[in-house]
């Protein structure tokens, strides 16, 4: 087996990974930095972010206002020390990106243009038309090229190497050759993104299988707040492609089958011709997705061959605004729905979009395993609480990517070379991966079928509304799928780009995460943000103003513990929108 070593190793080449890599190189230029990514960095999911990134820039805005919107939007589940650090460092990060070349959209007078976003009481979302993630990722990638960073593109990480109580490297498959490599490191930062593919209908691409969450979980690090799964209210039916919240920031309406702006019936304010901050279509995503379900139950949605939908109406914005501010939305509607939103209504329905939960970290990205850090969507630091506000995630990956990079650089500089016993572990992993490839000739179960069944169980049991019965049913189905997964068949024996072996590994990761999501949702007997229990419809601060921590243990379901939420200046209160 080939073995190499670096000082700091990034797993993931998306926004968080590249920002962290730059931070390591800037913090200590003597450190040797490497990035491992299962896809070419520019194909990481950050590239698909459309709407924008939040940071205070207007004179009539304030850091406290951004913090309060984030905390109340998260239904008081956010750690307020993390939120305070986040809002404080957000603007500096955005300006740094500007200096590195990010083409933020501008006002005619040259000032940075900002747009309103759901749940925010001020306009603070910076954007680059509706291709913000694309421009941010390009900027980060080209900046990272200035440093001596080794890139392992199209390498799939399968295991963390842990020796003497600290993380000291990884094992990965080089996809082009199928060869197994050990990469040793004094510090490892997981930046592997979310796990939307645990569900069937999602804005997330096939690569979002939660690998980093599963790697950390298997290495003994708890997963935090996994029950909080964000549904975005406006995905295209059938494909699940996102129609960005920016459509509503620019003034789009959501209407039911009667052409009625139904959000006025859900305590989100009254309809106005122009968008009103934190009202109606600019309410938070959890409330808007829940309102869709209520409309469905009232029989006021539109039936299509791909499920029930409501309509997003942006016709009144006019062609010029749509082409200037929302060109990608027009392109998506034309390509995937064969309609022109300048003249026609866009069919939309809620779609799984983002994981508020993830690898438990502190505000420097450190996990409970020394030497292991996490940042971006894989991590739960936690600034998103029970419901993330749109446009906070791109900023989060900058702020906490930078923080974890600096912390990992400092840690790595103080460590001795990785320990000798790691190679034995790496050889074990090589044996296991060989068995996956060669030992599954006679299996009966198909990976794609098992994946579909798992996704179906999650949608029906752990969707927008859940209860004990639906969650227990999902737990039973996932346990049964886990059992059948042991006899999954692999037909492809080749080493070169064996996507079937990768699909097997990804499914094994997702099954672990599905169990953690269900167990965390079952244990939380209250409703808060994106976690709505019809059998426990009230928020219960007395018992559950606490983060869930799912610990893995062999031979049983996850063990759930709780950790108090950090409150600094904003005691729990009512979430008020539209007033
Ligand atoms: C369609 C869409 C639009 C969005 N729009 C916005 C928006 O406007 N504003 C906002 O704030 N947020 C938005 N979000 C959310 C935001 O884009 C993501 O949360 C964020 O980009 C995640 O970045 P990341 O760096 O954590 O992960 P990603 O960009 O997903 O990168 C993950 C990296 O990990 C690597 N990786 C994963 N597993 C492995 C493995 N096993 N081995 C090796 N490498 C691995 C991948 O190759 C990739 O490089 C949007 C999300 C979607 C899906």
């Amino acid at each position: 087996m080939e073995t190499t070593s670096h000082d700091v190793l990034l797993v993931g080449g998306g926004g968080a990974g590249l920002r962290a890599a730059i931070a390591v190189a800037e913090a200590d230029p003597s450190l040797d930095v490497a990035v491992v990514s299962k896809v070419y960095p520019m194909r990481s999911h950050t590239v698909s972010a459309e709407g924008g990134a939040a940071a205070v820039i207007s004179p009539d805005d304030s850091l406290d206002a951004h913090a309060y919107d984030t905390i109340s939007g998260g239904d008081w589940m956010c750690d307020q020390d993390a939120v305070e650090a986040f809002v404080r460092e957000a603007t500096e990060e955005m300006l740094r990106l500007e200096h590195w070349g990010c083409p933020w959209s501008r006002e005619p007078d040259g000032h940075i243009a900002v747009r309103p976003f759901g749940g925010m009481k001020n306009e603070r979302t910076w954007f680059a038309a509706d291709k913000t993630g694309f421009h941010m990722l390009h900027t980060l990638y080209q900046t990272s090229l200035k440093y001596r960073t080794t890139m392992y593109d199209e390498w799939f990480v399968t295991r963390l190497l842990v020796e003497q109580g600290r993380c000291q490297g990884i094992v990965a498959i080089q996809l082009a050759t199928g060869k197994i490599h050990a990469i040793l490191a004094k510090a490892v930062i997981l930046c592997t993104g979310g796990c939307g593919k645990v569900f069937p209908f999602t804005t997330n691409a096939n690569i979002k299988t939660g690998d980093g969450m599963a790697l950390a979980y298997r290495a003994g690090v708890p997963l935090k707040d996994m029950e909080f799964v964000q549904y975005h209210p406006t995905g295209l039916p059938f494909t699940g492609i996102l129609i960005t919240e920016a459509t509503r920031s620019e003034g789009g309406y959501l209407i039911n089958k009667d052409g009625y702006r139904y959000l006025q019936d859900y305590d989100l304010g009254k309809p106005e011709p122009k968008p009103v901050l934190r009202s109606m279509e600019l309410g938070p995503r959890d409330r808007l997705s829940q309102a869709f379900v209520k409309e469905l139950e009232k029989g006021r949605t539109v039936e299509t061959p791909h499920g029930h939908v409501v309509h997003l109406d942006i016709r009144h914005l006019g062609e010029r605004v749509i082409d200037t501010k929302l060109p990608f939305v027009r392109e998506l509607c034309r390509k995937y729905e064969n309609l022109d939103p300048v003249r026609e209504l866009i069919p939309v329905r809620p779609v799984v979009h983002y994981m508020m939960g993830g690898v438990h970290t502190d505000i420097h990205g450190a996990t409970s395993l020394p030497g292991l850090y996490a940042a971006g969507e894989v991590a739960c630091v936690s600034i998103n609480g029970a419901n993330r506000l749109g446009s906070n995630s791109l900023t989060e990956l900058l702020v906490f990517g930078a923080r974890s990079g600096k912390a990992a650089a400092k840690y790595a500089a103080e460590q001795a070379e990785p320990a000798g016993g790691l190679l034995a572990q790496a050889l074990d992993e090589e044996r296991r991966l060989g068995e996956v490839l060669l030992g599954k000739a006679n299996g009966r179960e198909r990976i794609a079928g098992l994946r579909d069944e798992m996704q179906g169980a999650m949608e029906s049991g752990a969707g927008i509304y859940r209860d004990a019965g639906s969650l227990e049913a999902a737990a039973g189905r996932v346990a049964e799928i886990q059992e059948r997964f042991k006899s999954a068949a692999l037909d492809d024996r080749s080493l070169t780009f064996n996507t079937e072996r990768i699909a097997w590994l990804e499914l094994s990761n997702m099954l672990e995460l599905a169990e953690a999501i269900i167990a965390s949702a079952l244990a939380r007997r209250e409703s808060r943000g994106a976690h709505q229990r019809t059998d426990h419809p009230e928020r219960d601060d007395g018992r559950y103003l606490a983060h869930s921590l799912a610990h893995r243990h062999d031979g049983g379901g996850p063990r759930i513990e709780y950790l108090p939420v950090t409150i600094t200046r904003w005691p729990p209160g009512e979430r008020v929108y539209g007033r």
Side-chain angles (χ1 to χ4, degrees):
M1 175 189 289
E2 282 183 34
T3 306
T4 45
S5 72
H6 299 276
D7 291 317
V8 181
L9 185 69
L10 282 301
V11 183
L18 295 177
R19 181 64 191 91
I22 295 167
V24 176
E26 286 189 337
D28 187 343
S30 71
L31 292 175
D32 173 4
V33 189
V35 177
V36 191
S37 178
K38 69 177 177 179
V39 295
Y40 279 99
M42 279 311 302
R43 301 192 68 191
S44 303
H45 217 284
T46 299
V47 82
S48 66
E50 299 169 26
V56 169
I57 186 83
S58 309
D60 53 355
D61 198 1
S62 73
L63 300 184
D64 277 5
H66 190 185
Y68 184 80
D69 286 348
T70 301
I71 290 162
S72 58
D75 221 347
W76 274 272
M77 274 296 283
C78 313
D79 281 333
Q80 297 183 7
D81 55 344
V83 175
E84 290 192 67
F86 167 68
V87 299
R88 203 172 49 239
E89 290 163 30
T91 311
E92 195 187 323
E93 279 296 325
M94 303 288 281
L95 290 172
R96 186 165 291 133
L97 219 63
E98 153 104 352
H99 296 156
W100 289 341
C102 187
W104 298 120
S105 292
R106 293 184 175 277
E107 297 295 350
D109 67 1
H111 281 89
I112 298 285
V114 279
R115 57 172 43 134
F117 239 62
M120 302 258 192
K121 78 160 91 47
N122 288 309
E123 300 193 1
R124 61 172 76 97
T125 298
W126 306 37
F127 56 98
D130 55 0
K131 294 184 180 168
T132 308
F134 172 89
H135 289 296
M136 283 179 63
L137 198 57
H138 264 281
T139 303
L140 290 168
Y141 186 66
Q142 74 195 16
T143 305
S144 75
L145 296 179
K146 285 199 307 197
Y147 301 97
R148 278 183 313 116
T149 306
T150 307
M151 306 298 274
Y152 296 97
D153 294 337
E154 298 191 325
W155 287 43
F156 185 96
V157 176
T158 66
R159 176 163 170 179
L160 298 177
L161 294 173
V162 180
E163 182 78 10
Q164 296 167 347
R166 57 190 181 95
C167 181
Q168 303 191 48
I170 57 108
V171 175
I173 305 173
Q174 182 179 13
L175 298 180
T177 62
K179 279 193 186 149
I180 313 299
H181 296 255
I183 307 181
L184 309 185
K186 295 172 184 166
V188 174
I189 313 180
L190 293 173
C191 298
T192 45
C195 64
K197 289 309 280 187
V198 172
F199 289 80
F201 188 63
T202 172
T203 59
N204 291 190
N206 286 339
I207 54 174
K208 295 200 68 166
T209 49
D211 303 343
M213 293 179 190
L215 288 170
Y217 190 47
R218 288 202 190 98
V221 177
L223 298 178
K224 185 160 75 188
D225 292 342
M226 293 297 280
E227 62 273 41
F228 299 109
V229 178
Q230 178 161 80
Y231 279 76
H232 192 293
T234 58
L236 292 179
F238 185 55
T239 57
I241 288 172
L242 179 80
I243 297 299
T244 171
E245 197 157 300
T247 48
R248 288 172 278 129
S249 317
E250 298 300 336
Y253 302 148
L254 280 170
I255 55 177
N256 66 15
K257 77 172 169 46
D258 306 318
Y260 174 67
R261 285 176 73 187
Y262 60 91
L263 292 173
Q264 60 192 289
D265 296 352
Y266 298 94
D267 216 12
L268 286 161
K270 294 287 159 226
E272 302 283 345
K274 292 233 158 110
V276 176
L277 294 161
R278 284 164 66 98
S279 292
M280 293 290 293
E281 286 83 1
L282 285 180
R285 290 175 178 176
D286 56 342
R287 294 276 173 89
L288 265 58
S289 297
Q290 290 151 19
F292 172 90
V293 177
K294 299 290 176 202
E295 285 296 289
L296 179 69
E297 286 167 2
K298 290 177 191 163
R300 304 202 305 198
T301 50
V302 182
E303 195 168 356
T304 75
H306 305 297
H308 281 258
V309 299
V310 287
H311 283 129
L312 178 61
D313 188 357
I314 60 170
R315 295 172 299 179
H316 53 285
L317 303 184
E319 190 162 11
R320 194 183 57 78
V321 170
I322 293 174
D323 282 346
T324 320
K325 301 267 183 75
L326 305 166
F328 192 45
V329 168
R330 192 173 188 190
E331 189 182 323
L332 290 173
C333 288
R334 281 177 156 158
K335 272 196 185 142
Y336 294 96
E337 289 291 328
N338 194 25
L339 65 82
D340 185 352
V342 170
R343 281 171 279 280
E344 291 163 278
L345 298 172
I346 310 170
V348 289
R349 56 173 270 215
V351 54
V352 168
H353 185 57
Y354 182 86
M355 275 305 287
M356 268 73 76
V359 177
H360 171 41
T361 73
D362 69 8
I363 60 174
H364 302 289
T367 71
S368 54
L369 177 62
L372 184 68
Y373 297 77
E377 194 173 337
V378 66
C380 181
V381 57
S382 93
I383 65 147
N384 299 306
N387 171 61
R388 174 180 73 99
L389 294 190
S391 77
N392 266 353
S393 170
L394 289 177
T395 315
E396 175 182 1
L397 60 81
L398 296 175
V399 170
F400 291 99
R403 279 182 157 245
S404 62
K406 282 180 210 157
K410 185 164 181 299
Y411 175 89
E414 293 160 358
Q415 301 308 309
E417 288 305 315
L422 294 167
L423 197 58
Q425 276 184 43
L427 288 169
D428 265 0
E429 180 64 358
E430 185 175 40
R431 242 186 320 276
R432 179 181 83 96
L433 293 169
E435 281 165 19
V436 172
L437 191 64
L438 301 172
K440 305 228 167 274
N442 303 318
R444 298 178 307 278
E445 301 283 352
R446 311 307 308 177
I447 293 166
L450 293 174
R451 189 177 50 222
D452 283 355
E453 287 188 46
M454 173 199 67
Q455 292 172 334
M458 294 304 285
E459 171 108 317
S460 60
I464 296 178
Y465 285 99
R466 309 104 183 245
D467 63 20
S470 74
L471 288 163
E472 274 158 10
R477 282 183 67 193
V478 171
E480 183 232 330
I481 297 163
Q482 276 280 28
E483 205 43 46
R484 286 163 50 207
F485 180 62
K486 291 178 186 157
S487 49
L490 244 71
D491 297 332
D492 189 350
R493 300 270 170 277
S494 68
L495 290 171
T496 308
F497 286 110
N498 187 332
T499 52
E500 198 181 26
R501 174 160 65 165
I502 298 303
W504 187 95
L505 291 164
E506 290 175 336
L507 181 57
S508 75
N509 291 339
M510 289 193 287
L511 284 166
E512 297 259 14
L513 302 182
E515 285 178 346
I517 292 169
I518 295 168
S520 307
L522 258 172
R524 185 176 289 279
R525 295 187 186 87
E526 65 155 357
S527 290
R528 185 186 294 270
H531 172 69
Q532 292 293 310
R533 288 274 304 248
T534 51
D535 49 350
H536 296 282
E538 301 301 326
R539 194 174 90 188
D540 181 353
D541 288 339
R543 291 176 69 196
Y544 292 110
L545 190 61
H547 301 291
S548 64
L549 293 179
H551 296 263
R552 180 173 190 271
H553 65 109
D554 287 329
R559 177 170 49 82
I560 307 296
E561 289 177 356
Y562 287 96
L563 180 73
V565 169
T566 303
I567 306 284
T568 56
R569 293 195 283 136
W570 296 274
E574 197 194 341
R575 288 176 78 198
V576 180
Y577 296 98
R579 272 178 269 154

